[in-house]
Amino acid sequence: MAAMTTGHSSRADANRRRILDIALAELLRDPDASMDQIARAAGVVRRTVYGHFPSREALIGTLVDGAVEAVAAAHAEGRAGNEDLAQAVAGSVLAVWKVADRYRILVALAQRSVTVQGIRERLAPVRDACTELLQRGLDEGVFVSPLPAPALAYVHEQMMFAVMEAVNDGLLDAEEAGRSTAVTVLTAAGVPASLATALVAKLSD
């Protein structure tokens, strides 16, 4: 009986993951995709989708949770082992953008369903890591800002959201957005534009 239950639950988990992957692809294609459309694309009946996610908001909330986990992992990987603080900040932005670009439509959707406050709460660990990097940089004179590190971390976070929305609205090419954001984040932290541009170009090679 236990083996049957395990088999059933792993099949249910695989189904759930597949529905999430297809939902993300459908929402990227059509931000207003309904649960019916998602079920059809996944090749399941609507009841199956609702069995895993009681509402469209719950489905989007789960996708946002997955996006936040991916962003946190990318942020950690981007800054890992980088003693140069400006490079660590730029590396974390570039790494986050690679992941975030896949999820950028979710930001617009989540602002309608999960609320901005909900997203900000989910991103608290990433913001804490940013604050720590920025504080060290301010202490060592690598960064210069009239803002204290926690406030500067908020500014950086909002810049990322703003760039995602600019890409969604067709104002910026997605290919360029990661590098542009990294340079903008560094200049906002007081790094000269020429140095920031050279540093990001070096990391992007």
Side-chain angles (χ1 to χ4, degrees):
M1 183 70 188
M4 278 179 65
T5 308
T6 306
H8 177 73
S9 70
S10 64
R11 197 160 57 247
D13 285 348
N15 259 345
R16 187 172 183 275
R17 277 196 304 277
R18 187 163 169 274
I19 289 166
L20 283 170
D21 285 344
I22 285 165
L24 181 59
E26 285 298 299
L27 290 165
L28 283 170
R29 197 175 56 77
D30 173 12
D32 296 314
S34 66
M35 295 289 263
D36 276 344
Q37 280 173 258
I38 290 164
R40 275 200 303 276
V44 296
V45 294
R46 191 171 67 158
R47 192 175 67 238
T48 303
V49 178
Y50 277 109
H52 291 286
F53 307 101
S55 66
R56 189 171 180 275
E57 283 68 28
L59 174 62
I60 289 170
T62 304
L63 284 170
V64 170
D65 284 341
V68 168
E69 279 177 27
V71 163
H75 190 273
E77 190 181 326
R79 67 179 191 274
N82 217 327
E83 289 308 308
D84 182 303
L85 293 172
Q87 279 196 30
V89 167
S92 66
V93 172
L94 289 168
V96 164
W97 184 263
K98 279 181 191 165
V99 174
D101 186 46
R102 180 171 181 240
Y103 294 112
R104 62 189 153 75
I105 200 70
L106 282 179
V107 173
L109 291 170
Q111 283 176 340
R112 287 187 242 161
S113 58
V114 183
T115 77
V116 177
Q117 188 57 36
I119 299 171
R120 274 168 53 172
E121 283 167 9
R122 285 167 164 84
L123 285 171
V126 176
R127 198 181 311 115
D128 289 346
C130 267
T131 301
E132 188 189 331
L133 266 183
L134 292 169
Q135 187 62 62
R136 282 172 53 205
L138 290 168
D139 290 345
E140 294 175 23
V142 176
F143 303 135
V144 182
S145 174
L147 298 173
L152 190 55
Y154 266 112
V155 169
H156 284 183
E157 185 179 292
Q158 291 307 310
M159 278 180 175
M160 292 285 282
F161 286 149
V163 172
M164 286 180 196
E165 290 187 6
V167 175
N168 286 343
D169 290 346
L171 303 174
L172 184 65
D173 181 57
E175 288 291 311
E176 286 301 310
R179 290 188 291 274
S180 304
T181 308
V183 173
T184 306
V185 163
L186 285 176
T187 53
V191 176
S194 56
L195 178 59
T197 304
L199 201 149
V200 170
K202 177 181 154 192
L203 287 174
S204 302
D205 285 345

